[in-house]
Amino acid sequence: MSSAPHRIPHLRAAGVSLVVDATGDAPSVLHWGRDLGPLSDDELEALRLTAGTARLHNAPDVARRFPLLPGERHDWSGVPGLSGHRAGGATTPRPVLRHVDVVPAGAPGGSDGGGSIEFDFDDPVSGLAIRQRVALEPSGLVRLSSTITSTAAEGEAPYDLAGLVEQLPLPTRATEILDFTGKWSREREPQRTPVRDGLHAREVRRGKPGVDSPYLMAVGTAGFGARHGEVWAMHVAWSGDQRWFVERLPEGAGAASAVLGGGELVRPGELRLAAGETYSTPDVLFAWSGDGLDGVADRFHERVRADRRRPGAQPLVLNTWEAVYFDHQLPRLIDLVDRAASIGVERIVLDDGWFRGRRDDRAGLGDWQIDEGVWPEGLDPFVDRVRSHGMQFGLWFEPEMINLDSELARAHPDWVLGPEAGLGTSSRHQYVLDIAHPDAFGYLLEAVSDLVERYAIDFLKWDHNRDLMEATRRTAGGAPGVHAQTLALYALLDALRSRFPALEIESCASGGGRADLGVLARTDRVWTSDCNDPIERQRIQRWSELLLPPELLGSHVGAERSHTTHRSTDLSFRLATALFASAGIEWNITRCTDEELAALRRWGGLYKEIRSLVATGRRVHAELPDEETLLHGSVAADGSRALYVWARLGTSAPGQSGRVRMPGLDASARYRVTVRDELGETALHQGEGPEWFDAARAGGIELPGSVLVVAGVPLPTLDPAQAVVFDLVRIDG
């Protein structure tokens, strides 16, 4: 730590510069984006002097700058960084900068390894001490967070926090917004809109990010795509209610055009800080890329992979849900396990239906004890059979939920999260358990721990199948409960990981409804969607991997006829789709033919061969004019190998693809290209493929990198719902 005065800290990492003006009471960002290179003190001062705007008619009599903690005190009429009040007074915050720490200290030219800056403010008007942290991580991501502490005297009115959000300025050339919406079984649906004057705001009031989560809010140069354009993006790393926004005022934001910001959405009365009490925001992460959306993904993937307890590839899993649903019969499940072992499955997950009273979705949630009527000998015979094949064992839970038809609800009705005036409507016949209640928390921790210990469970599928509506805590005077519920979830996951360091946990919430970097700091996998239809999955996975690396995205091969869409697809296409993810099977394979089992066995072998490449390589996406075709792949960090899939989702007007570039390769190298035939026959549309493709399919062909990545190659015209997997190995020498 250094307490020496740093007038203009300049942090550099991974091709990104962050320059902050700390010369006055309101620190501001002078530059966030492309690396400026080493700058002298004089050059940094020149950057500061050019940051002020012209003084316009009927505008403040000083040059406008956009501070890191903006408010009306700084003539900012947009979303304030901090808002709230004490009873009897509604004065706007007036923070005064008291101290700056820069870590590392930073040479005059800036530090090329990143670093962090901490700003300490006092606000005697609001009675608050504020600490704001700004860090440039080695990945090039900027991380912002803040903490406020009530400095009022004992007995004074508490400070009612209305909002504390993080914001960074955007340049004029950032003119187009990309964020996401969705619904059950169609998560991560992209939507674009131009940056306009006013507020583009997304608020999450579901108690979790939700299947319509904004997920990642990106603002870029006009028409930015997978591989081109400048992009500035943001993610709120929080698993409760959220705020996301882009705001542009006619007068701009100082020398910037607009701002990008977000944080936790705070309900009225939810956070009331008495003397000495503290609130800390979740991390808000900002990414800049000069190489389009793939460049944004590179930065997030690097950060997430560096933070994993067990980095690398995931085992091949079979989940029992779409195989047996609630019909738990031991002989049938034993047969399923034996078949799974014969095709190379490494982990079996027993899904919903194993616990007391759970014969359908109307009862049982909360009673996390084994149903002895269905399992008279406990789960022991089933788990023993799994272990006899050398496989791992996983179990489904939904700990945050409760059915009113349960022993737990009858014994502790006050543990149900809801208003004192009476519960609202159920969803999927269930309500929410107030896990911030100490006794409810303790019950869950011990109930889950008992089973993990008894069966040496390797993996928990942690589900969350409803939104938190009217989430008020009856045992806390009707206080809003989402913030407390979210912190309790984190504490519960942390406690389990502490007790069982080898335990892996998957975040599932009606599919991909809780896929954020707050929960991912405590879990090991995300269930990407309840939809295993590969046509839908190709799109869902493409956008999910913008934030999360593919090895964390659970993707299962389902039956020919999809459980969710009732659409039928060829096995080869289902296999190709699950290959570029954390792969698994969710299918009653006891009904498979010998040919289908053989295909699954070959595919499992291919997955084990290439999963390390998928788990460590860069994800790349070709830019194609036709949305019905996709070319995406994983390229080894050293360029020595790459795996691509060419997929057609539906019909399209063009009869030929033309030359398609394979992004991410070394243009100066040569590659041997083969088509992996383990997935089975692919249906070409009305004829044969290009000559080079036929050679690749027949045994392989050597091609220059310049042809593959610069000129591009014509790809075969596929029928809808078909895919081809290309394996490229660099030829050295």
Side-chain angles (χ1 to χ4, degrees):
M1 298 287 288
S2 171
S3 58
H6 293 276
R7 290 167 48 86
I8 311 175
H10 179 199
L11 305 177
R12 301 169 58 211
V16 175
S17 276
L18 178 70
V19 186
V20 179
D21 179 5
T23 59
D25 274 351
S28 60
V29 172
L30 300 177
H31 174 81
W32 163 46
R34 191 180 304 277
D35 187 12
L36 299 175
L39 297 178
S40 66
D41 284 345
D42 288 344
E43 289 169 321
L44 290 169
E45 180 64 18
L47 184 64
R48 189 186 73 84
L49 290 174
T50 60
T53 59
R55 299 183 184 116
L56 303 176
H57 176 68
N58 202 29
D61 294 328
V62 295
R64 300 182 78 255
R65 298 186 180 188
F66 182 77
L68 275 166
L69 194 63
E72 293 182 41
R73 172 70 178 86
H74 315 104
D75 302 300
W76 174 245
S77 60
V79 175
L82 170 65
S83 57
H85 77 286
R86 293 186 190 274
T91 305
T92 60
R94 296 178 69 90
V96 177
L97 183 64
R98 297 301 187 197
H99 189 71
V100 180
D101 272 349
V102 179
V103 186
S111 168
D112 61 5
S116 63
I117 314 167
E118 290 188 348
F119 299 100
D120 286 316
F121 303 86
D122 287 334
D123 185 348
V125 172
S126 298
L128 297 173
I130 305 164
R131 169 165 288 185
Q132 189 171 37
R133 294 168 292 272
V134 182
L136 180 61
E137 299 184 341
S139 63
L141 292 176
V142 177
R143 183 181 76 251
L144 269 67
S145 63
S146 298
T147 297
I148 61 171
T149 302
S150 176
T151 57
E154 195 72 36
E156 288 191 18
Y159 184 80
D160 279 333
L161 179 67
L164 184 54
V165 295
E166 309 295 347
Q167 306 178 57
L168 285 181
L170 296 170
T172 305
R173 62 188 181 276
T175 60
E176 190 174 334
I177 302 169
L178 168 71
D179 62 10
F180 296 88
T181 182
K183 61 181 182 179
W184 178 72
S185 286
R186 195 180 174 91
E187 297 88 338
R188 320 286 174 251
E189 184 71 16
Q191 55 185 13
R192 289 190 184 236
T193 185
V195 176
R196 298 186 176 95
D197 284 356
L199 186 65
H200 172 87
R202 300 287 305 280
E203 292 190 342
V204 174
R205 296 176 179 271
R206 300 182 180 277
K208 61 180 178 181
V211 292
D212 62 339
S213 167
Y215 194 61
L216 191 84
M217 186 169 279
V219 190
T221 51
F224 68 90
R227 309 286 297 177
H228 77 279
E230 274 190 284
V231 182
W232 296 259
M234 179 197 70
H235 174 75
V236 179
W238 177 246
S239 308
D241 290 344
Q242 304 169 336
R243 300 177 69 190
W244 308 63
F245 58 89
V246 174
E247 186 167 24
R248 188 177 75 183
L249 302 180
E251 66 269 27
S257 169
V259 298
L260 174 63
E264 180 181 5
L265 186 149
V266 178
R267 306 292 184 107
E270 188 165 29
L271 293 170
R272 311 189 74 192
L273 304 181
E277 291 185 334
T278 293
Y279 165 73
S280 295
T281 69
D283 288 340
V284 182
L285 299 163
F286 296 83
W288 171 84
S289 165
D291 300 311
L293 293 169
D294 278 2
V296 169
D298 285 344
R299 298 194 189 282
F300 280 107
H301 291 185
E302 179 182 342
R303 181 187 200 269
V304 172
R305 285 169 169 169
D307 196 38
R308 307 312 299 159
R309 290 189 304 166
R310 285 179 291 281
Q314 300 269 359
L316 184 63
V317 64
L318 182 140
N319 184 286
T320 65
W321 178 244
E322 291 189 18
V324 301
Y325 300 102
F326 289 109
D327 187 13
H328 285 201
Q329 299 179 40
L330 184 59
R332 183 182 182 190
L333 286 165
I334 290 293
D335 191 10
L336 192 66
V337 167
D338 292 345
R339 292 287 186 101
S342 74
I343 60 175
V345 168
E346 299 163 303
R347 172 184 287 165
I348 298 290
V349 178
L350 183 64
D351 210 284
D352 195 357
W354 56 269
F355 50 97
R356 193 172 295 163
R358 192 65 167 178
R359 303 282 49 81
D360 54 34
D361 64 1
R362 295 175 179 270
L365 287 176
D367 296 343
W368 301 111
Q369 295 81 35
I370 297 164
D371 191 327
E372 296 177 353
V374 178
W375 297 91
E377 299 177 71
L379 300 180
D380 300 74
F382 180 75
V383 177
D384 289 347
R385 192 60 161 251
V386 171
R387 301 291 189 201
S388 72
H389 289 295
M391 294 189 288
Q392 297 180 2
F393 173 62
L395 195 60
W396 181 95
F397 283 88
E398 195 173 1
E400 299 153 85
M401 298 296 152
I402 187 169
N403 290 122
L404 296 187
D405 186 3
S406 67
E407 294 303 317
L408 187 68
R410 285 185 280 272
H412 300 285
D414 55 319
W415 290 6
V416 181
L417 196 63
E420 294 179 356
L423 296 176
T425 56
S426 62
S427 178
R428 206 180 181 231
H429 313 294
Q430 65 193 51
Y431 289 89
V432 181
L433 188 69
D434 180 5
I435 63 172
H437 189 296
D439 294 337
F441 182 97
Y443 162 75
L444 281 181
L445 178 59
E446 295 309 320
V448 176
S449 295
D450 286 349
L451 287 164
V452 172
E453 187 169 13
R454 175 176 174 181
Y455 293 111
I457 294 174
D458 301 287
F459 176 87
L460 299 182
K461 180 178 179 179
W462 190 289
D463 214 338
H464 186 284
N465 274 308
R466 68 157 290 167
D467 296 337
L468 275 59
M469 298 288 101
E470 294 189 299
T472 61
R473 304 185 61 216
R474 286 183 279 180
T475 56
V482 171
H483 177 80
Q485 187 84 355
T486 307
L487 293 183
L489 165 69
Y490 289 168
L492 187 55
L493 293 171
D494 289 343
L496 286 168
R497 285 159 56 99
S498 176
R499 288 187 177 190
F500 308 103
L503 179 66
E504 296 186 28
I505 303 173
E506 175 182 66
S507 173
C508 174
S510 293
R514 190 157 63 188
D516 64 87
L517 296 186
V519 78
L520 255 294
R522 298 161 172 87
T523 55
D524 304 275
R525 189 182 193 246
V526 164
W527 182 229
T528 319
S529 177
D530 281 344
C531 183
N532 286 322
D533 180 330
I535 293 177
E536 302 297 328
R537 268 297 184 129
Q538 284 281 344
R539 294 188 177 97
I540 294 168
Q541 290 173 198
R542 186 271 174 270
W543 294 112
S544 294
E545 66 189 27
L546 184 56
L547 176 69
L548 302 180
E551 68 273 16
L552 301 186
L553 300 173
S555 182
H556 294 175
V557 177
E560 177 181 358
R561 190 167 187 260
S562 168
H563 163 80
T564 53
T565 67
H566 299 159
R567 177 164 45 199
S568 294
T569 51
D570 286 353
L571 178 57
S572 62
F573 189 60
R574 303 186 331 257
L575 296 173
T577 299
L579 194 62
F580 289 80
S582 177
I585 300 167
E586 199 154 338
W587 182 12
N588 187 1
I589 58 173
T590 64
R591 297 179 179 175
C592 286
T593 65
D594 290 343
E595 292 76 13
E596 288 171 328
L597 290 173
L600 285 168
R601 189 177 299 110
R602 292 193 302 270
W603 165 77
L606 177 59
Y607 171 69
K608 294 171 187 177
E609 175 192 334
I610 60 90
R611 61 184 168 187
S612 292
L613 171 60
V614 173
T616 58
R618 292 183 60 201
R619 289 294 290 158
V620 295
H621 302 82
E623 296 188 301
L624 302 171
D626 177 10
E627 294 185 357
E628 296 301 326
T629 54
L630 300 172
L631 178 72
H632 57 86
S634 293
V635 181
D638 62 1
S640 61
R641 189 178 182 188
L643 204 74
Y644 296 91
V645 63
W646 168 244
R648 175 168 289 280
L649 308 185
T651 60
S652 57
Q656 300 283 343
S657 69
R659 287 186 176 269
V660 177
R661 297 175 175 180
M662 292 189 169
L665 300 175
D666 181 355
S668 65
R670 291 184 63 83
Y671 291 87
R672 182 166 186 81
V673 186
T674 57
V675 172
R676 300 303 298 251
D677 60 5
E678 289 92 337
L679 308 184
E681 188 67 25
T682 298
L684 303 185
H685 182 68
Q686 296 180 348
E688 296 299 317
E691 184 177 352
W692 79 271
F693 171 76
D694 292 337
R697 192 164 52 166
I701 183 173
E702 292 185 13
L703 293 173
S706 57
V707 170
L708 293 165
V709 73
V710 179
V713 292
L715 294 174
T717 302
L718 305 178
D719 280 338
Q722 298 290 323
V724 175
V725 176
F726 295 101
D727 195 348
L728 287 77
V729 178
R730 187 177 61 202
I731 302 169
D732 295 319

